[in-house]
Short mmCIF file of all heavy atoms in Angstrom, two decimals:
data_model
loop_
_atom_site.label_atom_id
_atom_site.label_comp_id
_atom_site.label_asym_id
_atom_site.label_seq_id
_atom_site.Cartn_x
_atom_site.Cartn_y
_atom_site.Cartn_z
N SER B 184 -16.24 -10.69 19.00
CA SER B 184 -17.70 -10.60 18.98
C SER B 184 -18.35 -11.98 18.92
O SER B 184 -19.48 -12.14 19.35
CB SER B 184 -18.17 -9.73 17.81
OG SER B 184 -17.80 -10.32 16.59
N SER B 185 -17.64 -13.00 18.38
CA SER B 185 -18.19 -14.36 18.48
C SER B 185 -17.14 -15.31 19.03
O SER B 185 -16.98 -15.42 20.23
CB SER B 185 -18.80 -14.82 17.16
OG SER B 185 -17.94 -14.60 16.08
N SER B 186 -16.36 -16.00 18.15
CA SER B 186 -15.38 -16.95 18.67
C SER B 186 -14.33 -17.25 17.61
O SER B 186 -14.48 -16.89 16.45
CB SER B 186 -16.08 -18.26 19.04
OG SER B 186 -16.58 -18.86 17.85
N TYR B 187 -13.28 -17.94 18.05
CA TYR B 187 -12.24 -18.34 17.12
C TYR B 187 -12.80 -19.32 16.09
O TYR B 187 -12.46 -19.27 14.91
CB TYR B 187 -11.06 -18.96 17.88
CG TYR B 187 -10.02 -19.55 16.97
CD1 TYR B 187 -9.14 -18.73 16.27
CD2 TYR B 187 -9.94 -20.93 16.78
CE1 TYR B 187 -8.20 -19.27 15.40
CE2 TYR B 187 -9.01 -21.48 15.92
CZ TYR B 187 -8.14 -20.64 15.23
OH TYR B 187 -7.23 -21.18 14.37
N GLU B 188 -13.69 -20.20 16.55
CA GLU B 188 -14.30 -21.19 15.65
C GLU B 188 -15.04 -20.51 14.50
O GLU B 188 -15.02 -20.96 13.36
CB GLU B 188 -15.26 -22.11 16.42
CG GLU B 188 -14.59 -23.15 17.31
CD GLU B 188 -13.82 -22.53 18.48
OE1 GLU B 188 -14.29 -21.52 19.05
OE2 GLU B 188 -12.73 -23.05 18.81
N GLU B 189 -15.67 -19.39 14.83
CA GLU B 189 -16.40 -18.61 13.84
C GLU B 189 -15.43 -18.08 12.77
O GLU B 189 -15.73 -18.08 11.58
CB GLU B 189 -17.15 -17.46 14.53
CG GLU B 189 -17.97 -16.56 13.63
CD GLU B 189 -19.13 -17.27 12.95
OE1 GLU B 189 -19.56 -18.33 13.45
OE2 GLU B 189 -19.59 -16.77 11.90
N LEU B 190 -14.26 -17.63 13.23
CA LEU B 190 -13.25 -17.12 12.31
C LEU B 190 -12.82 -18.21 11.33
O LEU B 190 -12.74 -17.99 10.11
CB LEU B 190 -12.04 -16.59 13.08
CG LEU B 190 -10.83 -16.19 12.24
CD1 LEU B 190 -11.16 -15.03 11.31
CD2 LEU B 190 -9.65 -15.83 13.12
N VAL B 191 -12.58 -19.41 11.87
CA VAL B 191 -12.16 -20.53 11.02
C VAL B 191 -13.25 -20.84 9.99
O VAL B 191 -12.98 -21.04 8.81
CB VAL B 191 -11.84 -21.77 11.88
CG1 VAL B 191 -11.62 -23.00 11.01
CG2 VAL B 191 -10.61 -21.51 12.73
N LYS B 192 -14.50 -20.79 10.45
CA LYS B 192 -15.63 -21.06 9.56
C LYS B 192 -15.66 -20.02 8.43
O LYS B 192 -15.82 -20.36 7.26
CB LYS B 192 -16.93 -21.01 10.38
CG LYS B 192 -18.05 -21.84 9.79
CD LYS B 192 -19.34 -21.68 10.60
CE LYS B 192 -20.41 -21.08 9.74
NZ LYS B 192 -21.34 -20.23 10.48
N LYS B 193 -15.48 -18.76 8.81
CA LYS B 193 -15.53 -17.68 7.82
C LYS B 193 -14.37 -17.78 6.82
O LYS B 193 -14.55 -17.51 5.63
CB LYS B 193 -15.48 -16.32 8.53
CG LYS B 193 -16.79 -15.99 9.22
CD LYS B 193 -16.95 -14.49 9.40
CE LYS B 193 -18.41 -14.13 9.51
NZ LYS B 193 -18.73 -13.26 10.63
N LEU B 194 -13.19 -18.18 7.32
CA LEU B 194 -12.04 -18.36 6.42
C LEU B 194 -12.33 -19.43 5.38
O LEU B 194 -12.06 -19.28 4.20
CB LEU B 194 -10.81 -18.74 7.23
CG LEU B 194 -9.78 -17.64 7.54
CD1 LEU B 194 -8.72 -18.17 8.48
CD2 LEU B 194 -9.15 -17.11 6.27
N ARG B 195 -12.91 -20.56 5.87
CA ARG B 195 -13.24 -21.66 4.96
C ARG B 195 -14.24 -21.20 3.90
O ARG B 195 -14.10 -21.54 2.73
CB ARG B 195 -13.88 -22.82 5.75
CG ARG B 195 -12.88 -23.62 6.53
CD ARG B 195 -13.54 -24.88 7.07
NE ARG B 195 -12.75 -25.50 8.12
CZ ARG B 195 -11.64 -26.18 7.91
NH1 ARG B 195 -11.20 -26.36 6.67
NH2 ARG B 195 -10.96 -26.68 8.91
N GLU B 196 -15.24 -20.41 4.33
CA GLU B 196 -16.23 -19.92 3.38
C GLU B 196 -15.59 -19.04 2.32
O GLU B 196 -15.90 -19.15 1.13
CB GLU B 196 -17.30 -19.09 4.12
CG GLU B 196 -18.34 -19.93 4.85
CD GLU B 196 -19.17 -19.11 5.82
OE1 GLU B 196 -19.10 -17.86 5.77
OE2 GLU B 196 -19.87 -19.72 6.64
N LYS B 197 -14.67 -18.17 2.74
CA LYS B 197 -13.98 -17.28 1.80
C LYS B 197 -13.21 -18.08 0.76
O LYS B 197 -13.22 -17.76 -0.43
CB LYS B 197 -13.01 -16.37 2.55
CG LYS B 197 -13.63 -15.14 3.13
CD LYS B 197 -13.75 -14.03 2.09
CE LYS B 197 -14.43 -12.83 2.72
NZ LYS B 197 -15.17 -12.03 1.76
#
Side-chain angles (χ1 to χ4, degrees):
Chain B
S184 63
S185 48
S186 65
Y187 173 75
E188 286 66 38
E189 180 64 21
L190 173 64
V191 171
K192 206 183 118 213
K193 287 203 155 131
L194 260 174
R195 284 190 196 285
E196 282 166 12
K197 276 277 178 209

